[in-house]
Amino acid sequence: MTAAATWHRRTPLAVTWRRYTPFAAASLQGLLQYRSTFVINAVTATTAVGLQVFLWRAVYAGRTGGLPGGYDLPELTTYVLLAQMLALLQASRVDEEVAGEVQRGDIAVSLLRPVSYPLARFAAGLPVSLVNAGTVAVPVVLLYALLLPLSAPSWAGGLLFALSAGLSLVIGFGVNLLVGLAGFVTTNIWGVRIVKDSVVAFFAGQVVPLALMPGPLAAVAHLLPFQALVDGPLRLLLGHYRGPAEAAGILAGQAGWAVGLTALAALAWRGAVRRVEVLGG
């Protein structure tokens, strides 16, 4: 028996991987059934990104010297472009799907499965993020790289960004799962999702880079977990930090929010299960 086969059979990580792979595979198969969706998403993302990018470039066109927040125009263009792409990667529709299962009563079937429901939802949402990255985000970034001057990251910036973007996926999943679990209380979370999308986009730095916000508003944003979704990864990519200690602090903050939101989601799930048992008798 090879070492790889032994790892696959015995290690807890391998056992967990095998248990949740079917959820990821089913989600991927569901995505591939509607391939025209990729084209629609790409066109929609290209248009939305174009509006944001050209608006910000028009605001600061002709300005001499550096821009507010220490950015130059290529860096600001890169920030605005990639902020929209990060938001796209985190849009795994977990909140909508969880609330839908609750509303339809399908959640009762999920409770019978011998798996962790939050982990199963994460496994199902991960292919959505990866497919969005491969079919939409990368082509859109390459297109705008041909049209506009962007800021090329260093190797260190690219590696830090990849690590930070991975943590932002976990944070985004935690936020979306908590919103989806609100369906156990409100039944319909349409209004909650609208508020969540607006608040998250603003305080994450997706609409306005945090460095361009007024001081008190930026201070509030830095206290919330949402800045770890967009602003943190892009500061690392563009090198907007003072030394390795601050870069490590950004990653540590993200890791802390990822662990905290995961724990909070686990507690919320336990409370939701008790509510189902009480209502179900």
Side-chain angles (χ1 to χ4, degrees):
M1 183 179 295
T2 64
T6 302
W7 178 87
H8 192 66
R9 287 173 60 88
R10 295 181 179 177
T11 62
L13 182 59
V15 172
T16 303
W17 173 257
R18 281 190 302 170
R19 182 175 296 174
Y20 293 96
T21 296
F23 294 96
S27 176
L28 184 59
Q29 288 175 352
L31 284 174
L32 296 178
Q33 287 180 352
Y34 304 99
R35 298 177 187 177
S36 59
T37 304
F38 303 145
V39 178
I40 296 172
N41 288 342
V43 173
T44 304
T46 303
T47 305
V49 167
L51 292 174
Q52 288 276 340
V53 166
F54 287 110
L55 174 63
W56 280 102
R57 289 181 64 83
V59 169
Y60 289 109
R63 186 185 179 100
T64 58
L67 306 182
Y71 291 101
D72 57 26
L73 197 53
E75 285 180 336
L76 184 63
T77 304
T78 305
Y79 185 107
V80 174
L81 170 61
L82 294 184
Q84 305 304 315
M85 296 300 99
L86 281 173
L88 178 66
L89 299 187
Q90 291 150 8
S92 58
R93 301 180 62 189
V94 169
D95 48 0
E96 183 181 352
E97 292 178 358
V98 171
E101 285 192 9
V102 174
Q103 194 171 27
R104 294 190 301 271
D106 296 344
I107 197 72
V109 178
S110 299
L111 290 173
L112 298 176
R113 293 175 178 147
V115 295
S116 164
Y117 181 76
L119 282 180
R121 294 309 320 176
F122 182 76
L126 192 58
V128 179
S129 298
L130 296 179
V131 169
N132 282 338
T135 62
V136 180
V138 171
V140 170
V141 171
L142 292 177
L143 173 64
Y144 279 96
L146 295 174
L147 298 175
L148 299 170
L150 300 179
S151 177
S154 63
W155 282 105
L159 289 174
L160 290 172
F161 174 76
L163 182 58
S164 182
L167 289 170
S168 76
L169 281 181
V170 179
I171 296 170
F173 170 76
V175 172
N176 286 326
L177 181 60
L178 286 170
V179 172
L181 293 177
F184 282 93
V185 180
T186 65
T187 306
N188 190 327
I189 65 164
W190 180 82
V192 179
R193 288 186 63 221
I194 295 296
V195 173
K196 182 266 295 181
D197 289 343
S198 302
V199 170
V200 168
F202 185 77
F203 285 108
Q206 179 189 342
V207 179
V208 179
L210 298 194
L212 303 184
M213 289 184 177
L217 197 57
V220 172
H222 282 292
L223 293 176
L224 299 174
F226 312 128
Q227 50 82 23
L229 296 172
V230 172
D231 190 72
L234 293 181
R235 285 176 60 198
L236 293 173
L237 179 74
L238 298 173
H240 279 242
Y241 53 85
R242 294 184 295 274
E246 187 172 345
I250 294 172
L251 290 173
Q254 283 188 294
W257 279 118
V259 172
L261 286 170
T262 301
L264 186 59
L267 288 174
W269 171 245
R270 288 187 181 183
V273 170
R274 291 194 192 98
R275 184 178 178 84
V276 171
E277 290 174 348
V278 170
L279 295 177

